[in-house]
Amino acid sequence: MAAVPEIGILQGRLTPSPDGKLQFFPVGEWEAEFPKAREIGFTAVEPLLAVDTYREHPLWTGEGTKRLVALAASHGIRLPSVHGFFKWRNRAGESIAALAAILPRVRAIGAKTVLISLFDENAVSSPEDEQRVIGILRPLVDRAHELGITLGLEAEIPAERFQRFIEAFRHPAVALYYDIGNMVSMGVDVPAEIRSLGQLIVGVHVKDRPVGGSTVPFGRGAADFPAIFRSLAEIGYAIPFIIHGSLDPGRDDVLLNREYYQKVRQWRDRAWV
């Protein structure tokens, strides 16, 4: 049995959303999330570079990166991965330049993976889209490999096609970041997909969605979390889980994510026995 994965949370989930957005970087409040995370029990945080605020993220400067590392260490928090900003259809040049700029600092914080999301306007819906993304990412892939970093692609693509897409890069620095909720929403057999993808998976977002629907609090969607966690244990998954749960109107963010943490810990502990 592989080592038991730690449990982490995406940056921004322990701060009230200023405009109701699910995903944002808490400018001015990011430091306050670390003691909250540790008090709940989290031992990992995934820093988030948001499209409109990435220049305000501590990873954007050397001094900010030092602050981030010191703060995380003071609370016993690891930074295993970074949620990257990537808009390949209309801001490709800016995206690649931003990601290239932070890669050395990703290494400096000890992260091994940069998440590249391919959703909504970023979706790869055809072979032509896939080839275009491969071309855009190629320089970044080479630089990431030099630094010992993997680009983890995340997309709503069935496992067999996704594996072919990853293999088309022909590069060891490209792998797959699996989002449970997003794949559940497609109606696929998530445990079977996980077993088929195996070591290609370099990160997991824990989220719930109904089939064909948007993100909901854990237990209100279609995810069979006990079976999913068992499949992850079967493939020897040992990387921190990152909670990417929904907001719940009227609920305190810290209390809500405390519940999420407890549920994930329960599912994990029952699978890793």
Side-chain angles (χ1 to χ4, degrees):
M1 178 70 69
V4 178
E6 297 178 54
I7 303 173
I9 190 166
L10 182 68
Q11 195 172 49
R13 295 307 168 96
L14 298 175
T15 301
S17 175
D19 53 10
K21 286 184 178 179
L22 182 60
Q23 198 158 289
F24 68 99
F25 170 63
V27 177
E29 299 184 58
W30 65 271
E31 291 172 297
E33 290 199 332
F34 283 88
K36 293 176 184 177
R38 192 63 185 126
E39 194 278 329
I40 290 171
F42 291 111
T43 55
V45 167
E46 183 173 87
L48 167 70
L49 271 73
V51 60
D52 296 320
T53 57
Y54 66 91
R55 288 188 176 88
E56 298 175 77
H57 198 282
L59 280 173
W60 194 245
T61 67
E63 284 304 310
T65 300
K66 291 177 183 177
R67 284 173 57 205
L68 176 61
V69 169
L71 186 62
S74 71
H75 293 286
I77 300 285
R78 291 207 301 125
L79 306 166
S81 52
V82 172
H83 196 302
F85 147 64
F86 182 62
K87 300 287 183 182
W88 67 270
R89 289 189 187 274
N90 52 20
R91 298 172 73 171
E94 179 186 3
S95 297
I96 294 299
L99 289 167
I102 69 154
L103 276 181
R105 293 189 278 275
V106 170
R107 178 177 179 177
I109 69 172
K112 300 293 186 183
T113 302
V114 172
L115 168 61
I116 303 293
S117 291
L118 299 170
F119 294 108
D120 299 326
E121 74 274 15
N122 263 359
V124 285
S125 54
S126 68
E128 291 75 22
D129 285 349
E130 293 177 5
Q131 288 305 309
R132 186 176 172 196
V133 167
I134 290 170
I136 291 170
L137 284 175
R138 176 60 64 184
L140 191 71
V141 171
D142 292 335
R143 180 60 176 144
H145 187 53
E146 291 172 3
L147 293 169
I149 295 166
T150 298
L151 301 187
L153 307 188
E154 182 186 51
E156 292 180 356
I157 300 175
E160 186 175 347
R161 179 186 154 204
F162 210 156
Q163 188 163 358
R164 291 197 300 268
F165 179 37
I166 297 295
E167 291 171 349
F169 279 87
R170 301 182 184 278
H171 206 293
V174 182
L176 189 153
Y177 202 119
Y178 201 87
D179 187 299
I180 292 171
N182 293 342
M183 303 314 295
V184 164
S185 75
M186 296 180 63
V188 302
D189 184 338
V190 170
E193 282 211 334
I194 288 169
R195 287 189 290 269
S196 71
L197 292 166
Q199 299 305 306
L200 272 181
I201 299 174
V202 294
V204 169
H205 275 165
V206 184
K207 183 164 72 182
D208 202 359
R209 291 173 64 177
V211 176
S214 56
T215 307
V216 294
F218 292 175
R220 299 186 195 173
D224 182 350
F225 286 112
I228 291 167
F229 276 74
R230 285 195 299 272
S231 68
L232 287 160
E234 288 172 19
I235 67 168
Y237 183 83
I239 302 163
F241 295 116
I242 303 297
I243 289 179
H244 202 242
S246 172
L247 303 176
D248 195 358
R251 296 291 308 280
D252 176 83
D253 298 279
V254 173
L255 293 178
L256 176 63
N257 280 286
R258 187 187 301 276
E259 288 184 11
Y260 287 163
Y261 170 82
Q262 291 169 347
K263 288 180 178 180
V264 170
R265 182 175 178 178
Q266 182 182 70
W267 295 324
R268 180 202 64 181
D269 290 352
R270 287 179 177 175
W272 269 260
V273 292

